[in-house]
């Protein structure tokens, strides 16, 4: 970390009593240019306010000159009440540092998710069942949006709202407006493209930038359409899947997770599709889970997953 | 396989006695357009001539309309003497089929190899030690060719001939001529580029087409120069290595083997290089071993590795 | 293969016309002591009866002295009608060989499956959704048997019969009798234990030997109860899952498939359970799929999965 | 972490000037019962003494009630001189905590290693070449000890001292004494058993407890002799290798690293041996590298590898 250190972090003590928050954790995420003292500042802040640190991860990317950090602690016995006081305290704490992006999160606040899908059920049902079994972390699947009716019955039988918004080249703009309205109406924070098979426009992503997609190849190999056909034609010996944040550049957003599986000459394109589905499910679920647990930080076109 | 069947394979019996060949195997490799009867023809040929089948692998790529086969049997007790008689018999056997490429190989005939290297020792020493421990199959490392002197002592201490042929942009044509002469002089059949870091010209590859290269990425991702830097910049979560036949199109030849390893945000480019070396060694050694054991068949821009 | 060859296989031609069977395949599975000629015999049989070989796999385990083979061909245009005539022909074909176990299967005949489960839904729902998407091959899920009511609604909503048979130490014998009756009533051929968490008695397995189980460890490590706890306590760096045929010896039956995933010191037992679920689903599905496609052969306490 | 917090860490400032130590890092390792404040104490200590934190890893094993930590920082500009002053300062820093094991290490101090081997060259040559290419970290291979002469020439040609100490059941005690004397004479801190194939006695391990071994199975499966034979007989679908600290209980010491590779029914025991060698090399090298970089902490029978 670099030379210019801020003055010692000021850690005000809050007089107001705080209700017990057994088992509830707070998390601070920090991204900033590399500068000395941030690690000590964060761990000191938690320690001096009687917090019990559960997890602390730091990373400096020297080639990019960036620092990224995440600290998680138990709120039980913590001196500063959650919500506004804590937000204010963290803001003051980090005000001495340069160009800091930061946020405070709580493990009992559920992220509201919309899942976008098309006709394939494997990724969406995988997410729904993981959610049912509490594997994803604190989240609510508020809404499923599809451009087809195929999965309505399945989704609704799981007690989840299903909205069909057909999309054609001509109606895309209008359709996206409707999709955004639906998400806004539900207070959706994260959109998961679970094999949605449509490209979201720049304008959509500007309005709602927090979108995780699954691409069925080991990016950056085989970008664009029909990656399993491309893989079969190239004769690769492994196929992959990649979850990434959707950006205006197709399949070029920050990568969150990747996995591969071995294939052989025996595998037809249909076999690649079948084997790839297992990758898609696992890779997408890992990315969504990491995001919901506030473990994914982005900088430039890259992620750090703590 | 398709409809037009050839007449039943004629399997002449050879009267001449054959010396016992304990533990020596013969191998037939076949590549042809898909047509009915090749599998039965090959297994029948071996069976009716008292051969003991050790291994039989067949594959039909329906999308390409191609059949590929490999049959290996013990020569002990086999009715047809090895060498010219066997070659002639196989030629007659397969003469009824359309557009057949075939060859006959023996497990006691050592493939003569030249290893091309530059300054890095990990791939070449890995191959030399595997050869020393009989891990590669029947082969001789006849020659090491390098554009630098760095590895001379190490290679010569293992009892292997080392020739340094410096290469500059200006002298490349002349250097390649010298390399080809060296290979020809040693009767080299397979050239292994063990981190040679130079591109062989079209003209070189036309003269000597049997060249296996190792590329330090999961092709087709990150072709060309500095793939680990490319991988670091793109923020992938796995890195790979690819062994392939060298062709005039850089990093675009038929892929023989690939492998990946997980990385994290903690890994600098230097760490990627270090982790990648293990992949490079393993992937190159697997490809060389498969080739020496006559398990690699090519068609179009793809391989089948039986 | 050994010296004593049977007489050349006699392949009678059947005069009766055969209805076209587009896209339907027949499969012969063979297990016998190693003896010369079986490969040629099988491929010849298919070839001479105008069959189009799709897949042919052979393996000789020299240490056990056993031969195992599988040949699959398209019935379209095949000279021998399926059913009794083909069974009879194969019986005659293999009658010259010693101690042969064999069977004939057809890809359009659906294997009837019963899934046994307890309270956990991940393995059973994974199988049901794979079946819904035609990933498992030709099969029918005829019945779900559980010792609890928990999953009734979920299973029945997928249109599958659900029977609850409570099991206590005192009622186990009676319960197993009822389970066997239910399976018999549905004509069940394969029982899949999808986290059933009960041990089937010897007597049950003698009556119905075709049972695939999933064990949540990399067998033979951590046999018996609470394998994830055992793994956590031992401090292993990878955890695994194993699908195997159930036998009277707990967790000691022939292994069909295994897979592992990397863990770290950060993973609590709960995390191992969560990560292990993905392994369990994939490993069980692969085993069931291989079995349904008639690719699993057993000998001694081992399997060959072609 | 638990309730009883020590008083705020006292961090004395040292007046003596300190020579510049560009690129040299110090590392503190800490293992203790879980107690509040250790993380803040360590990061504060480095920060307030003008240290630039490079890496900071913490882990609490709640099931064992243990805290483990590792902090690494650049000594350039650090206020406390290395050596005795720093050791003293850390001792004072941690004196307020209960039952703390700690050590201070420097990245420019080379760990002195003895490699024990027998006849197989793959692990030992792999380590020697990695060391030659600076892949292992700061270490010196001071000595190779073998119970056979086979590898003398190879090892000595790399400029490394080779001592042959034959071991028989009758002479084992005497041989171990000689081995210990050799290690002591060279100031060896770490013994690496690179396929040494002998069991070190309790008495040996009491005198020199810092011994890393490689076992050619996925422990705890297949402990003891001939694990590849055991694996072949059991019919597993993956084989593994495990590096661990040697303890008096055979193959039961704390596991440092494990890896597996897929096998098939085709693989004979000889193939398992060949495939396993790649695992052994990689797994042993990873463990040795982690240890040399002071990333391996032990508690109970487990390790944390930061």
């Amino acid at each position: 970390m670099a030379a210019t250190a801020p003055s010692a972090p000021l850690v005000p003590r809050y007089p107001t009593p705080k209700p017990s928050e057994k088992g509830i954790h707070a998390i601070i995420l920090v991204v900033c240019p590399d500068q000395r003292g941030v690690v000590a500042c964060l761990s000191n802040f938690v320690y001096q306010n009687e917090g019990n640190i559960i997890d602390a991860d730091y990373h400096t990317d020297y080639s990019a000159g960036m620092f990224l950090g995440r600290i998680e602690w138990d709120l039980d016995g913590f001196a500063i009440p959650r919500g506004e006081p804590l937000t204010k305290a963290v803001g003051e704490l980090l005000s001495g540092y340069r160009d800091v992006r930061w946020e405070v999160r709580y493990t009992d606040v559920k992220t509201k998710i919309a899942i976008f899908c098309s006709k394939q059920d494997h990724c969406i049902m995988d997410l729904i069942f993981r959610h049912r079994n509490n594997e994803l972390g604190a989240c609510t699947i508020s809404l499923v949006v599809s451009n087809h009716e195929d999965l309505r019955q399945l989704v609704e039988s799981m007690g989840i709202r299903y909205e069909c918004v057909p999309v054609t080249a001509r109606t895309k703009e209008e359709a996206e407006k409707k999709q955004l309205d639906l998400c806004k109406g539900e207070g959706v924070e994260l959109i998961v493209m679970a094999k949605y098979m449509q490209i979201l426009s720049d304008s959509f992503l500007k309005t709602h930038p927090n979108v995780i997609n699954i691409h069925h190849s080991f990016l950056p190999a085989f970008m664009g359409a029909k990656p399993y056909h491309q893989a079969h034609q190239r004769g690769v010996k492994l196929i992959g899947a990649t979850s990434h944040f959707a950006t205006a550049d197709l399949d070029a957003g920050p990568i969150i997770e990747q996995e591969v599986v071995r294939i052989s000459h025996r595998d037809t394109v249909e076999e690649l599709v079948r084997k790839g589905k297992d990758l898609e499910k696992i890779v997408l679920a890992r990315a969504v889970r990491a995001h919901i647990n506030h473990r994914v930080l982005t900088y430039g076109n890259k992620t750090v997953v703590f």
Side-chain angles (χ1 to χ4, degrees), chain A:
Chain A
M1 298 178 207
T4 56
S7 58
L10 185 75
V11 188
R13 298 231 159 211
Y14 287 82
T16 47
K18 198 189 51 69
S20 172
E21 320 240 22
K22 264 258 162 328
I24 298 170
H25 300 175
I27 297 155
I28 301 175
L29 301 177
V30 174
V31 181
C32 62
D34 184 23
Q35 48 204 302
R36 214 175 69 82
V38 189
V39 171
C41 158
L42 290 168
S43 49
N44 235 22
F45 172 73
V46 175
Y47 171 69
Q48 294 191 354
N49 288 292
E50 313 294 342
N52 197 358
I53 295 175
I54 300 297
D55 230 342
D57 292 283
Y58 306 109
H59 174 62
T60 304
D61 181 336
Y62 291 102
S63 64
M66 292 298 288
F67 169 85
L68 305 102
R70 178 189 189 277
I71 190 162
E72 176 174 349
W73 71 97
D74 197 327
L75 282 175
D76 186 37
F78 193 63
I80 309 173
R82 66 186 287 174
E84 213 180 305
L86 180 51
T87 304
K88 190 157 162 278
V90 175
E92 284 166 12
L93 179 74
L94 295 169
S95 64
Y97 296 89
R98 194 165 30 96
D99 293 336
V100 184
R101 278 192 286 134
W102 60 268
E103 46 189 273
V104 180
R105 299 284 185 173
Y106 303 95
T107 55
D108 64 340
V109 175
K110 294 184 178 177
T111 302
K112 287 181 182 164
I113 300 177
I115 303 179
F116 280 36
C117 65
S118 189
K119 294 180 172 184
Q120 289 183 290
D121 64 23
H122 62 288
C123 279
I124 185 171
M125 292 314 291
D126 183 73
L127 288 172
I128 289 173
F129 273 94
R130 285 180 196 272
H131 178 241
R132 191 182 129 96
N133 289 323
N134 296 316
E135 284 184 35
L136 293 181
C139 66
T140 305
I141 302 177
S142 306
L143 178 69
V144 168
V145 176
S146 177
N147 52 340
H148 294 281
E149 285 286 355
D150 302 55
L151 302 181
R152 178 182 293 278
Q153 197 192 340
L154 210 50
V155 170
E156 290 183 346
S157 78
M158 303 300 291
I160 298 169
R161 179 181 175 194
Y162 187 92
E163 293 292 336
C164 181
V165 183
V167 180
T168 65
R170 209 175 43 76
T171 64
K172 181 156 181 174
E173 197 178 325
E174 191 184 348
E176 287 198 342
K177 196 188 161 306
K178 192 164 172 195
Q179 292 167 340
L180 286 167
D181 285 348
L182 284 165
C183 290
K184 201 174 168 187
E186 291 281 359
V188 164
E189 296 160 87
L190 171 67
I191 294 174
V192 179
M193 296 172 76
K195 306 292 288 177
Y196 175 55
M197 312 310 276
Q198 298 279 327
I199 298 167
L200 297 178
S201 70
D202 285 20
S203 147
F204 185 106
L205 292 169
K206 260 172 205 148
T207 312
H208 192 111
N210 208 15
V211 179
I212 294 178
N213 189 22
I214 177 77
H215 184 74
H216 38 312
S217 88
F218 183 79
L219 288 176
F222 312 129
M223 292 194 281
K226 291 188 175 286
Y228 292 128
H229 288 79
Q230 292 183 53
H232 190 258
Q233 188 156 7
R234 182 61 188 91
V236 290
K237 302 300 185 189
L238 300 163
I239 55 167
T242 305
S243 55
H244 62 97
F245 287 108
T247 57
D249 287 333
L250 182 63
D251 302 331
I255 291 170
I256 306 168
E257 172 63 342
Q258 300 187 290
E259 195 57 91
V260 296
V261 72
R262 185 159 287 272
I263 58 168
S264 86
H265 54 266
R266 283 188 169 200
D267 291 307
T268 59
V269 171
E270 288 71 36
E271 289 295 287
L272 301 194
V273 170
R274 187 182 59 77
K275 289 190 173 178
K277 281 179 176 177
D278 280 345
L279 293 179
E280 295 165 19
K281 286 189 283 192
I282 284 174
V283 166
L284 182 58
R286 285 188 194 153
V288 170
R289 185 176 191 276
H291 187 276
I292 286 169
N293 288 284
H294 312 298
R295 296 192 163 276
V296 185
L297 287 79
T298 59
Y299 66 109
N301 199 39
K302 297 170 75 165
T303 68
V304 161
V305 183
F306 282 127

